[in-house]
Amino acid sequence: MMRRPDIPLTVLGGFLGAGKTSLLNHLLRTQQAERVLVMVNDFGAINIDAELIAKAAPGMPEGIVSLTNGCVCCSVGGDLMQAFLKVLKLPEPPGRILVEASGVGDPARIAQLGRAGGGFRSEGVVTVADAEAVRRLARDRYVGDTVRAQLRAADLVLLNKADLVAAAELDALRSWLATQVPDARVIACRHGQVDPRLILGPALGAIDVAAGERAGDVTADTDTDTDHAAAFAGSSFASSIRFRRAALEGALDALPPQVLRGKGMVFLEGEDSPRLLQICGKRWTLERPGPPEAAVRSRIVFIAARQSGGAAFDPWRHFGPALAG
């Protein structure tokens, strides 16, 4: 019997009151790209919208609720490992798992479960920080260690409640976070309202460059939400030329700060099988080669922050020089 592919796992962390609940509700209402399973300590904590609750599906284990938009919620109930095992037994596995870490827990420990294999693949940690309170909490003698650990675990930091602080204070917060978590990207937001692709990852299926188009065509942004479209831009890269591995790794290490997420299948020199590329904040991974493909065609999709007065991210200009030949 063919082994199921590993399920992508994204961990959501942040201290009590940072806004994880608002973010989870927003994701459940707006995401439609894939079947997501959200793991929480208690269903009541996220106040799932009534219109999203579906009737109990046949064969659905106790503690798992199916939603009308195709998503699923699983109550962890204090035993995360048992909850993971329950998910692996589902007759229809989810396309992705989003785990909410406890408000006083370390999200890095949950992410380690994904990196260790066992049916899951870690795709990053997103930590929500309260723009008004995070610096004070980080200095607190009782909870400071916890707050700083949650920030250090992050690939992406969502600086939530940004509308409650002045512009100068927001700039100071960004500078402070750069010293605390230099390896993380920082995104300011309000009420947990962010483009779902930043948390769940862009869908590789969004790339569809027709045969005959030049390698490296940039796909126009297809956001439908006005606020999201104003803040973020989607683009894609496609080429039938293999990458030079060292040059590709150099390009990935040199990605500009506005590139927040990325996903793709890339072919390297000397390999007939593509590798899965994942980008979350500054962290990127190249998975082991998959099954061989007859047609060589690397394709990557990106989500980047729009810069006022600055140049948009150009995937072809950035990655073109890493191609062989």
Side-chain angles (χ1 to χ4, degrees), residues 210-226:
E213 294 187 50
R214 73 173 179 87
D217 272 339
V218 178
T219 301
D221 188 7
T222 56
D223 285 337
T224 56
D225 184 287
T226 302

Side-chain angles (χ1 to χ4, degrees), residues 85-322:
L85 293 174
K86 187 184 299 184
V87 169
L88 290 175
K89 294 178 181 179
L90 289 174
E92 183 182 352
R96 174 182 302 274
I97 295 177
L98 177 62
V99 182
E100 180 195 11
S102 162
V104 293
D106 185 355
R109 294 186 178 182
I110 298 175
Q112 286 174 352
L113 292 175
R115 297 190 181 104
F120 305 100
R121 182 183 71 246
S122 175
E123 287 200 358
V125 174
V126 179
T127 297
V128 184
D130 184 333
E132 277 195 313
V134 64
R135 294 184 74 171
R136 172 177 54 79
L137 291 170
R139 295 191 302 266
D140 188 275
R141 62 182 296 186
Y142 299 108
V143 303
D145 288 345
T146 297
V147 172
R148 292 192 298 273
Q150 292 171 345
L151 291 172
R152 287 195 301 269
D155 298 297
L156 291 175
V157 175
L158 294 186
L159 198 52
N160 196 32
K161 307 181 186 180
D163 54 316
L164 301 182
V165 299
E169 185 177 352
L170 192 61
D171 289 339
L173 273 171
R174 288 182 177 276
S175 298
W176 176 77
L177 285 169
T179 66
Q180 301 295 308
V181 281
D183 293 332
R185 305 290 197 209
V186 178
I187 308 166
C189 63
R190 309 178 288 180
H191 310 296
Q193 303 286 308
V194 296
D195 190 319
R197 296 174 299 176
L198 295 176
I199 311 300
L200 306 174
L204 184 59
I207 305 175
D208 186 16
V209 179
E213 294 187 50
R214 73 173 179 87
D217 272 339
V218 178
T219 301
D221 188 7
T222 56
D223 285 337
T224 56
D225 184 287
T226 302
D227 291 337
H228 294 163
F232 306 105
S235 60
S236 62
F237 174 98
S239 176
S240 58
I241 303 173
R242 286 181 171 86
F243 281 103
R244 291 175 287 118
R245 176 156 189 161
L248 174 61
E249 291 179 350
L252 290 167
D253 286 336
L255 280 168
Q258 71 258 41
V259 177
L260 305 169
R261 293 285 271 173
K263 183 176 183 179
M265 303 298 292
V266 297
F267 282 85
L268 304 178
E269 277 187 311
E271 298 183 357
D272 294 326
S273 302
R275 291 174 178 261
L276 174 64
L277 168 66
Q278 295 280 357
I279 302 167
C280 183
K282 292 184 180 180
R283 184 176 68 88
W284 58 266
T285 58
L286 277 173
E287 302 291 336
R288 295 186 302 273
E293 292 186 9
V296 175
R297 183 167 175 268
S298 296
R299 54 233 191 254
I300 316 171
V301 65
F302 304 91
I303 305 298
R306 296 186 188 274
Q307 293 184 317
S308 177
F313 174 63
D314 185 339
W316 176 248
R317 177 174 294 181
H318 189 85
F319 285 97

